[in-house]
Amino acid sequence: MANLATITLAAGKGTRMKSSLPKVLHQVAGKSMVQHVVDTAGQLTPQHNLVIVGYKADQVKADTDGKIEFVKQEQQLGTGHAVMQAKEELIDFSGVVLVLYGDTPLLTSETLQQLIEQHQTEEAAATILTTKVDDPTGYGRIVRDQSDYVTKIVEEKDTTAEEAKINEINTGICCFESDLLWDCLAKLDTDNAQGEYYLTDVPEILVDQGHSVSALSISDTQQTIGVNTRKHLAEAEQILRQRICNYHLENGVTIIDPANTYIDSEVEIGQDSIIYPFTFLEGKTKLGSEVIIGPQTRIIDSMIGNQVEIKSSTIIDSQIGERSEVGPYAYLRPGSKLSSEVKVGDFVEIKKSEIAKGAKVPHLSYIGDALIGQNTNIGAGTITANYDGQQKHRTVIGDNVFIGSDSTLIAPLRIGDQAITGAGAVVTKDVEADSLVLGVPAEPRD
Ligand code: UD1
Ligand code: CA
């Protein structure tokens, strides 16, 4: 493939979103729109992956990552003006310049590849990605001559009544020969309905100069949705979610009801896992194989081992080892680390705690800043009192410990291996291994 540079336009405010957040930072399936676009561009391994930023540029820069370079467009004077800003960065670059819009998150790299291939085979000066839609409202229209050659793009606000009826639209994605692009951009003016420098005027300039402009019309109109409003955002979300579910279904995951399952784009799920409805798998969550999740479960940025079962629970930034069981109605807060074969049952909250292999916290407990040893059993209603009003303190419980129901463990506290606390004990002092403590405050007994 020829030398390639991609330019993603992400400087606009997105007025129609009615938002204080720049439009391109709104998320679709857990990832910002501009991140979707630059990731897709990145799959083509371009020499330059440029992002044009302007409105709240610092915020867009901070929230977008990858092998990308940012270029600032100080004033948003139109899409043509935005591309012009990249001239300096690309002054020594010769090849194909692919322009992408930061508000088209559903495009695939296969489509872009196809666009570039056609551009090269036809030796065109520019190649536009187009599609035919039932309702072209809001999009630029593709105007062709009698021989079907593209002559120009007309923006909706500049169309004649006749042109407005054209249902082949400009998706915004277009590639150009770099050697011709900069000269054409210099010729743009703002003599149009919106008073902007339109990138979409470049094809007409090229045609007038005797160059050929090609168009690749794709039938999958969903890919090309340009998100301008919250309604479009919801549509894009639904389409992408469907696509993500299909991907996992093809990989051997059972999703009982894809329409009611919400999986972010970077989530990984092992084979033979089963996902019940109303489950949200978010961020960089990774599920092993043969896991059973849901119904009504939310997992964010967590690692779940093979054969784990989680029912109606919320898991945030945590790890759960193989064959463990969680829920129903458990809440694992950030920094919880369950080893294998652990049971965390109903109405249990765990925060920043490690629970070793085979240990059980079956009912109605709060475990915070604690370390729980192997095969230890925590009775119903046990609380680690980890906060003295000023500071948090740790509770360290050994292996094979039996904590009686309704024990209150006042941290800082250490409980030795094989120790036992009686039901209702309020444990204020460390407990030796193999000993029994009872009462309020708890005292040793033989
Ligand atoms: C644009 C196209 C239209 C096409 C549609 C497809 C133009 C003039 N029109 O219209 O033909 O059918 O996309 O979705 O190109 N941006 C900048 N700097 C600017 C202006 C815009 O970076 O000065 C960015 C925006 O952040 C956005 C993208 O360019 O990501 C497109 O801008 P937008 O205003 O949404 O263009 P449309 O009116 O949708
Ligand atoms: Ca748009």
Side-chain angles (χ1 to χ4, degrees):
M1 199 160 81
N3 286 339
L4 176 69
T6 58
I7 304 176
T8 299
L9 308 192
K13 177 167 188 268
T15 314
R16 291 165 281 183
M17 293 293 280
K18 303 197 174 137
S19 175
S20 59
L21 190 69
K23 173 167 77 173
V24 295
L25 288 186
H26 281 265
Q27 297 204 338
V28 177
K31 191 156 110 174
S32 78
M33 294 201 272
V34 63
Q35 190 72 58
H36 278 288
V37 177
V38 298
D39 286 353
T40 305
Q43 287 172 29
L44 305 170
T45 56
Q47 272 90 335
H48 296 271
N49 191 346
L50 301 181
V51 184
I52 310 294
V53 291
Y55 178 71
K56 296 199 175 172
D58 292 338
Q59 199 179 350
V60 177
K61 278 189 198 172
D63 291 347
T64 312
D65 40 49
K67 252 185 83 189
I68 49 184
E69 303 156 64
F70 295 97
V71 178
K72 182 96 183 265
Q73 183 192 20
E74 294 293 346
Q75 270 183 300
Q76 284 71 66
L77 303 179
T79 49
H81 180 259
V83 173
M84 239 183 274
Q85 309 310 304
K87 184 176 173 182
E88 216 168 293
E89 292 294 320
L90 298 180
I91 201 78
D92 297 323
F93 172 85
S94 176
V96 177
V97 175
L98 173 64
V99 176
L100 302 159
Y101 288 1
D103 63 355
T104 53
L106 302 181
L107 261 189
T108 66
S109 60
E110 289 77 18
T111 299
L112 298 179
Q113 196 87 42
Q114 219 183 325
L115 181 75
I116 295 164
E117 271 161 27
Q118 172 164 330
H119 177 76
Q120 291 180 313
T121 327
E122 299 195 2
E123 294 179 2
T127 305
I128 310 162
L129 185 69
T130 75
T131 189
K132 286 190 174 138
V133 292
D134 295 334
D135 177 14
T137 310
Y139 290 100
R141 314 292 207 276
I142 305 295
V143 180
R144 293 176 183 261
D145 64 16
Q146 284 94 342
S147 324
D148 225 22
Y149 286 110
V150 174
T151 53
K152 60 176 176 174
I153 301 173
V154 185
E155 287 307 300
E156 168 149 296
K157 289 185 178 148
D158 302 291
T159 50
T160 62
E162 221 26 59
E163 286 166 341
K165 288 186 206 146
I166 298 172
N167 71 342
E168 184 182 8
I169 57 130
N170 171 32
T171 63
I173 285 74
C174 192
C175 56
F176 301 91
E177 284 304 306
S178 62
D179 305 346
L180 301 169
L181 178 61
W182 310 117
D183 279 349
C184 288
L185 289 173
K187 294 195 168 72
L188 293 179
D189 59 40
T190 57
D191 187 12
N192 53 52
Q194 300 183 79
E196 290 182 359
Y197 294 97
Y198 290 163
L199 179 65
T200 44
D201 284 345
V202 170
E204 189 180 10
I205 297 172
L206 286 168
V207 169
D208 285 348
Q209 289 175 348
H211 296 290
S212 77
V213 172
S214 176
L216 172 67
S217 181
I218 59 165
S219 53
D220 180 7
T221 55
Q222 288 190 334
Q223 265 196 52
T224 63
I225 287 183
V227 173
N228 296 326
T229 62
R230 303 267 183 167
K231 187 164 174 280
H232 295 152
L233 188 68
E235 280 165 17
E237 176 82 29
Q238 200 181 10
I239 294 163
L240 190 54
R241 254 197 286 122
Q242 212 169 45
R243 216 195 258 174
I244 294 168
C245 281
N246 285 341
Y247 166 82
H248 292 293
L249 292 169
E250 277 163 23
N251 277 343
V253 175
T254 293
I255 300 174
I256 307 285
D257 180 7
N260 289 297
T261 304
Y262 307 80
I263 306 176
D264 282 358
S265 36
E266 288 180 19
V267 169
E268 295 174 30
I269 310 178
Q271 202 172 303
D272 285 320
S273 291
I274 302 175
I275 315 295
Y276 282 86
F278 306 109
T279 289
F280 296 74
L281 303 175
E282 301 179 31
K284 301 208 184 308
T285 291
K286 253 190 202 176
L287 309 187
S289 52
E290 297 176 42
V291 303
I292 302 177
I293 309 289
Q296 277 154 334
T297 291
R298 183 170 191 203
I299 307 180
I300 306 173
D301 292 326
S302 296
M303 304 270 288
I304 314 296
N306 298 336
Q307 297 174 332
V308 165
E309 201 169 325
I310 304 173
K311 296 188 188 86
S312 306
S313 293
T314 298
I315 319 282
I316 304 171
D317 224 335
S318 291
Q319 290 178 36
I320 302 178
E322 299 190 333
R323 297 182 297 283
S324 291
E325 283 173 46
V326 174
Y329 316 114
Y331 181 22
L332 267 59
R333 290 168 52 200
S336 299
K337 210 170 150 193
L338 276 46
S339 180
S340 55
E341 291 163 42
V342 167
K343 180 177 166 79
V344 168
D346 52 279
F347 305 104
V348 171
E349 174 177 338
I350 312 266
K351 188 215 76 174
K352 219 193 213 177
S353 294
E354 277 184 47
I355 303 185
K357 184 174 176 188
K360 294 184 170 60
V361 191
H363 339 264
L364 300 151
S365 288
Y366 169 66
I367 304 295
D369 304 303
L371 194 70
I372 296 179
Q374 286 195 18
N375 298 318
T376 283
N377 189 83
I378 307 288
T382 295
I383 302 291
T384 52
N386 61 332
Y387 186 47
D388 59 13
Q390 256 119 36
Q391 280 181 312
K392 301 278 167 69
H393 300 284
R394 278 172 64 74
T395 302
V396 179
I397 303 175
D399 296 341
N400 304 304
V401 170
F402 184 90
I403 302 290
S405 295
D406 201 23
S407 290
T408 301
L409 310 176
I410 315 283
L413 188 68
R414 302 184 80 88
I415 298 180
D417 296 344
Q418 282 91 238
I420 299 175
T421 70
V426 175
V427 186
T428 56
K429 290 182 290 199
D430 289 357
V431 179
E432 278 181 33
D434 301 299
S435 71
L436 163 70
V437 296
L438 296 176
V440 181
E443 295 294 343
R445 292 288 168 90
D446 297 329

